Amino acid sequence: MLYYLFRFLEQFGIPGSHLWGYISFRALLALILSLIISAWVGEKFISYLRRKQITEVQRDAKIDPFGVKKIGVPSMGGVIIILAILIPVLLLGRMRNIYLILMIITTVWLGVLGGLDDYIKIFRHNKEGLHGKFKIVGQVGLGLIVGLVLWSSPDAKINENVAVERQGHEVVIHKTEAEKSLKTTIPFVKEHNLDYSDLTSFFGEYKNAAGWILFVIMTIFVVTAVSNGANLNDGMDGMCAGNSAIIGVALGILAYVSSHVEFASYLNIMYIPGSQELVIFMCAFVGALIGFLWYNAYPAQVFMGDTGSLTIGGIIAVCAIIIHKELLLPILCGIFFVESLSVIIQVWYFKRGKHRGVKQRIFKRTPIHDNFRTEESQLDPDCKYVFKKPRGVVHESKITVRFWIISILLAVLTIITLKIR
């Protein structure tokens, strides 16, 4: 809203109004504003949650040795993050931008889905929360909407990057006409592009339509996988918020270079007109998470709950899909990927042994971060474990910081891959 106001005032020569045309100005303003809102609203909202007794009521000491102190800590803090994202975006963003609209829909959609889960846990005293199938339906529904909008919207276009020879040197140029494209960035290959329609070439003349169907399916998978990965990662004070803020910085950089034709040429990636508004959104996202960390860092004064974790994962996934960087997510979201993979492997290995009448597990506990805070004395003596290290309990604040460090390394590696081909 403020963007349109000051762009209107610029016509009358109002000093400073031209600044609102700069992405860098609005992005930094969104970062600062979201951080202030998150910190200020956080304090008020935590007090409100305590008064209404919207708090953590149960912790399994076998899984979380530090959990006794967490009983009574307010939950549903994801509301703070959502408000701190949406307010700056609505004030500073260009609301006619299809990409920004999709990000807002994602935030509200998954915020409501996660809020229902937290409501059932807290007010209905059902620790299982919303049934898993309803979560999946909600995630799949969002992925379907995002995929179909990107397929059908005339505003969702890109200028493809093409490498050409000039005076004996290879240079990257972009096609002058923006067009619908099924190409996405893939690391470690020369042209940096993978066309989904190439994977469906066996459909002959229908390969393009089949490619779009494959893209929509991929969108559904990415949204579901990343939001669930973030949900699993949310198990320690500051863990998910810190990792997601780091990922958000990397996505903001990728969105900016994708919206800048010269940087896109230098990095040999596709130029995506309009994606600069995602920089505003991701700055608000990072600011909201940093402000939330003020209260969520160990010892946590508030938990984000599924209201926050599902929303965070969805935002990361949809942003990556919009800028055609979804195939970089296994690297960028490596922490989420490993957390999810550890659970899948653990369940598979346990069921495999159960069929043979053997009690067996790979890790002491999953998701993988729980493995590091579980003592050997807490393990089932009748169960065989493949990995029992570390022998003692690592304090959760140390585990969290180490995961942050890994996330920083993965974020840097993700950006570096754009120059490795």
Side-chain angles (χ1 to χ4, degrees), residues 238-249:
M239 173 73 84
C240 185
N243 288 324
S244 300
I246 294 163
I247 294 168
V249 170

Side-chain angles (χ1 to χ4, degrees), residues 70-314:
K70 298 179 183 181
I71 296 175
V73 173
S75 190
M76 289 188 76
V79 173
I80 301 169
I81 298 171
I82 292 170
L83 288 175
I85 292 172
L86 292 180
I87 292 172
V89 168
L90 292 173
L91 287 174
L92 304 172
R94 291 178 58 196
M95 298 312 299
R96 295 174 186 173
N97 184 282
I98 186 62
Y99 302 137
L100 202 58
I101 292 171
L102 279 177
M103 296 304 295
I104 292 171
I105 290 172
T106 297
T107 305
V108 174
W109 184 290
L110 289 178
V112 171
L113 185 67
L116 286 172
D117 185 68
D118 287 335
Y119 176 84
I120 293 170
K121 288 178 181 177
I122 295 168
F123 294 98
R124 298 290 178 86
H125 306 291
N126 181 352
K127 195 62 180 175
E128 297 301 316
L130 188 67
H131 196 284
K133 67 181 179 183
F134 294 115
K135 283 187 185 179
I136 295 296
V137 168
Q139 292 164 332
V140 169
L142 175 65
L144 185 62
I145 290 171
V146 172
L148 291 176
V149 168
L150 293 176
W151 179 358
S152 60
S153 173
D155 296 326
K157 294 182 178 181
I158 69 168
N159 295 67
E160 292 184 9
N161 52 311
V162 181
V164 297
E165 288 284 338
R166 284 185 180 173
Q167 298 179 348
H169 297 284
E170 186 180 87
V171 296
V172 177
I173 62 171
H174 288 88
K175 295 181 179 179
T176 54
E177 290 292 327
E179 57 188 24
K180 305 294 289 184
S181 177
L182 281 166
K183 288 188 176 180
T184 188
T185 300
I186 186 170
F188 311 121
V189 298
K190 186 175 181 181
E191 298 301 329
H192 270 348
N193 291 334
L194 171 71
D195 196 322
Y196 284 112
S197 63
D198 289 342
L199 301 177
T200 57
S201 57
F202 54 87
F203 282 98
E205 61 181 306
Y206 302 106
K207 72 172 187 177
N208 198 56
W212 277 110
I213 293 171
L214 178 60
F215 168 77
V216 172
I217 293 171
M218 185 68 176
T219 300
I220 292 170
F221 173 76
V222 170
V223 169
T224 304
V226 179
S227 57
N228 282 329
N231 194 17
L232 289 171
N233 186 237
D234 180 33
M236 293 185 180
D237 297 353
M239 173 73 84
C240 185
N243 288 324
S244 300
I246 294 163
I247 294 168
V249 170
L251 283 173
I253 293 171
L254 292 173
Y256 182 73
V257 297
S258 297
S259 68
H260 195 291
V261 68
E262 291 183 5
F263 288 142
S265 295
Y266 174 72
L267 294 170
N268 194 6
I269 57 176
M270 58 200 76
Y271 166 56
I272 308 172
S275 62
Q276 65 270 17
E277 293 302 312
L278 293 178
V279 181
I280 310 292
F281 191 96
M282 295 315 296
C283 280
F285 176 72
V286 172
L289 290 173
I290 293 173
F292 182 75
L293 271 173
W294 186 270
Y295 303 103
N296 186 239
Y298 184 86
Q301 297 169 257
V302 64
F303 300 134
M304 67 172 65
D306 282 16
T307 309
S309 60
L310 287 177
T311 305
I312 285 170

